[in-house]
Amino acid sequence: MTPFEVGLIMTGVLLVLVIIGVRVAFAAAFVGVVGLIVIFSMRMGFERGFITALKMAGTIPHSKSVTYSLSVLPTFILIGFLAFYAGLTRQLFEASKRWLGWMPGGMAVGTIFATAGFAAVSGASVATAAVFARVAIPEMLAVGYSKRLSAAVVAAGGTLASLIPPSAILVIYAILVEQSVGKLLIAGFVPGVYSAFVYVAIIVGMAAWRGDAPAIKGFTWGQRFASIPGTLPIFAVVAVIFVSLFGVEIGGYSFSATPTEAGSLGAFVVLVTAFVKGMRLKQLGQALHETAKLAVMIFTLIWGVLCYVRFLGFAGLPDAFRDFIVSLPHEPMLTLVLILCAYAVLGMFIDAIGMLILTLPVVYPAVIALNGGEFVSAADSAFGMSGEACAIWFGILVVKMAELCLITPPIGLNCFVVSGVRPDIPVQEVFRGCVPFFIADILTIAGLLAFPGIVTWLPSMM
């Protein structure tokens, strides 16, 4: 048996383990360690191969956890939890309702923009959906919205946190493919806003056609302007992160920051805001505790999958898949679309982060090769962009596919979260309500494929 055949068999075992419900981190670590033992045993005998494989697998948690890029994750996660305890979510929703309620489906439109705003301080889609299920759904139901539409708006709006910086999943992508964390974060901003506007267009169209989402009127200009101060901390965090990543020159001195430093500054801004708004030490402890739990979960997932990635490298699967993709007798764009369709199917069975970190070690090199290689120029490439730009563009496409999977059955994690927070709304109703937003996501992805500049323009200015 060749290492390649071992790789195929163990990858099949991994898929079976994930489908039957084994956590991705533990399934990937198990398959990676066993695969390494088998390959090294074939080369140097069982005893030496077993010891060598375990030593190699044992170095991964330490060697990868000391990577500076990973330190950005806890800071971004902390921003989201502090923003929740500072009460910024309700103030965002109130401001959006007052300014946008006059539109057809105005309360739903306001919810989309409020979730987009909260996404700017929270990198977790599930957390965004959970928070706004408590804040927005009761108010939409109170003015006559159906349960199906109210729940679907929150579930779909929550997905925006995957793109709009700070995004934990974009950080994970950048680390796995060894690209600039800062550029990936910046690249997600315009597509995230674009995706929000597509959602809004769908909502307004449905409201005008069906008439089941009445406009909310009666707010004076004074009430609208009075709602703005409560949202200023959100804009402050966005400004801090963008200015830090882009850099600014004051008095002849240039100031810039790494993503970790930018995240720390953002967390400090939200922490001060939270204390000003009355957050107690007990709530601060809860925020730190929740941050630690989520960060440890993500780190464990990364460690487990990196064991599997190390095994894939020895098995030769990434190179084989790359050569297979490049040799296909199709246009590169068609091949890329087929890859994205495969992500849509895979996302029905695996959560978004698990799906990305399991597939990227194999798929990413193939897509870069499809474009012409890591160092190809825009003029010589298949997609009309350099290797670095292609890496960023593909990252946004893949993360958008992960967003799509958050509202599609049978996994559809955001839908389950919304239904869990609101037990009176069956999860089947949430899934049905998300169908228009699924179509909106397809349109968004088509736009990103047709106009890559939506993704690459902003990071090209860094």
Side-chain angles (χ1 to χ4, degrees):
M1 185 181 297
T2 65
F4 179 76
E5 291 170 337
V6 174
L8 289 178
I9 293 172
M10 295 307 296
T11 298
V13 172
L14 173 61
L15 292 176
V16 171
L17 290 174
V18 171
I19 290 172
I20 65 176
V22 179
R23 297 286 184 183
V24 172
F26 305 124
F30 171 76
V31 168
V33 172
V34 172
L36 287 172
I37 291 173
V38 172
I39 288 179
F40 281 111
S41 296
M42 292 167 55
R43 295 181 179 179
M44 56 185 68
F46 177 74
E47 185 175 349
R48 289 184 59 199
F50 181 83
I51 294 174
T52 302
L54 290 186
K55 285 183 177 179
M56 179 172 291
T59 63
I60 291 174
H62 174 264
S63 63
K64 297 302 178 182
S65 62
V66 297
T67 303
Y68 180 71
S69 300
L70 273 176
S71 61
V72 70
L73 283 173
T75 63
F76 282 175
I77 295 170
L78 179 60
I79 289 175
F81 283 112
L82 288 175
F84 169 71
Y85 285 108
L88 297 181
T89 51
R90 184 165 295 279
Q91 292 170 331
L92 269 175
F93 178 73
E94 186 64 29
S96 297
K97 181 178 69 174
R98 294 184 185 185
W99 282 93
L100 302 170
W102 58 270
M103 302 173 64
M107 190 79 82
V109 171
T111 300
I112 291 295
F113 281 111
T115 55
F118 186 67
V121 294
S122 171
S125 296
V126 172
T128 303
V131 167
F132 280 91
R134 295 183 176 91
V135 173
I137 290 180
E139 298 215 24
M140 284 190 278
L141 295 179
V143 296
Y145 282 51
S146 67
K147 290 184 177 181
R148 178 183 298 184
L149 176 61
S150 302
V153 166
V154 171
T159 66
L160 297 174
S162 295
L163 276 182
I164 297 176
S167 166
I169 197 169
L170 276 175
V171 172
I172 293 172
Y173 173 88
I175 292 169
L176 289 175
V177 304
E178 298 180 348
Q179 292 294 324
S180 167
V181 174
K183 288 188 176 183
L184 258 301
L185 290 172
I186 293 297
F189 181 75
V190 175
V193 173
Y194 165 54
S195 185
F197 275 103
V198 175
Y199 281 165
V200 166
I202 291 288
I203 291 170
V204 172
M206 288 192 303
W209 175 45
R210 299 192 307 203
D212 62 346
I216 307 299
K217 299 180 180 179
F219 291 109
T220 66
W221 284 105
Q223 290 174 318
R224 289 171 178 165
F225 282 109
S227 68
I228 292 179
T231 66
L232 293 181
I234 300 292
F235 293 104
V237 171
V238 173
V240 164
I241 292 176
F242 268 76
V243 170
S244 299
L245 293 179
F246 271 100
V248 63
E249 188 169 323
I250 302 175
Y253 293 94
S254 179
F255 298 91
S256 62
T258 65
T260 299
E261 293 164 344
S264 301
L265 288 171
F268 176 75
V269 170
V270 180
L271 177 64
V272 172
T273 303
F275 277 124
V276 169
K277 291 182 176 293
M279 184 181 74
R280 298 292 181 261
L281 290 178
K282 180 180 179 181
Q283 293 173 312
L284 175 60
Q286 290 173 331
L288 293 173
H289 184 239
E290 293 295 330
T291 298
K293 287 199 302 183
L294 185 54
V296 168
M297 183 272 288
I298 294 175
F299 274 63
T300 303
L301 194 57
I302 292 173
W303 294 336
V305 171
L306 286 176
C307 289
Y308 172 67
V309 170
R310 187 68 59 89
F311 157 65
L312 285 182
F314 282 100
L317 256 67
D319 292 339
F321 186 76
R322 179 197 61 203
D323 295 340
F324 168 73
I325 290 295
V326 173
S327 67
L328 290 175
H330 305 302
E331 288 294 322
M333 184 59 73
L334 176 59
T335 304
L336 178 60
V337 170
L338 293 175
I339 290 174
L340 295 178
C341 290
Y343 270 110
V345 175
L346 189 60
M348 295 180 179
F349 306 99
I350 305 177
D351 66 274
I353 294 179
M355 177 179 70
L356 292 192
I357 60 182
L358 283 177
T359 58
L360 284 176
V362 175
V363 175
Y364 173 77
V367 172
I368 296 301
L370 200 62
N371 186 52
E374 185 177 355
F375 303 105
V376 69
S377 64
D380 298 327
S381 65
F383 299 130
M385 63 188 76
S386 65
E388 181 186 36
C390 182
I392 294 173
W393 179 56
F394 179 63
I396 299 301
L397 288 172
V398 169
V399 169
K400 186 59 190 176
M401 291 305 301
E403 285 188 2
L404 181 70
C405 298
L406 288 170
I407 57 172
T408 54
I411 297 297
L413 195 55
N414 275 21
C415 296
F416 281 99
V417 167
V418 171
S419 181
V421 174
R422 296 284 312 201
D424 57 314
I425 307 177
V427 70
Q428 294 87 347
E429 281 294 291
V430 187
F431 278 125
R432 291 190 186 100
C434 284
V435 170
F437 297 100
F438 175 85
I439 297 172
D441 280 341
I442 296 298
L443 294 175
T444 300
I445 293 167
L448 297 179
L449 284 168
F451 304 102
I454 297 174
V455 175
T456 59
W457 170 67
L458 204 54
S460 69
M461 300 174 65
M462 294 182 67

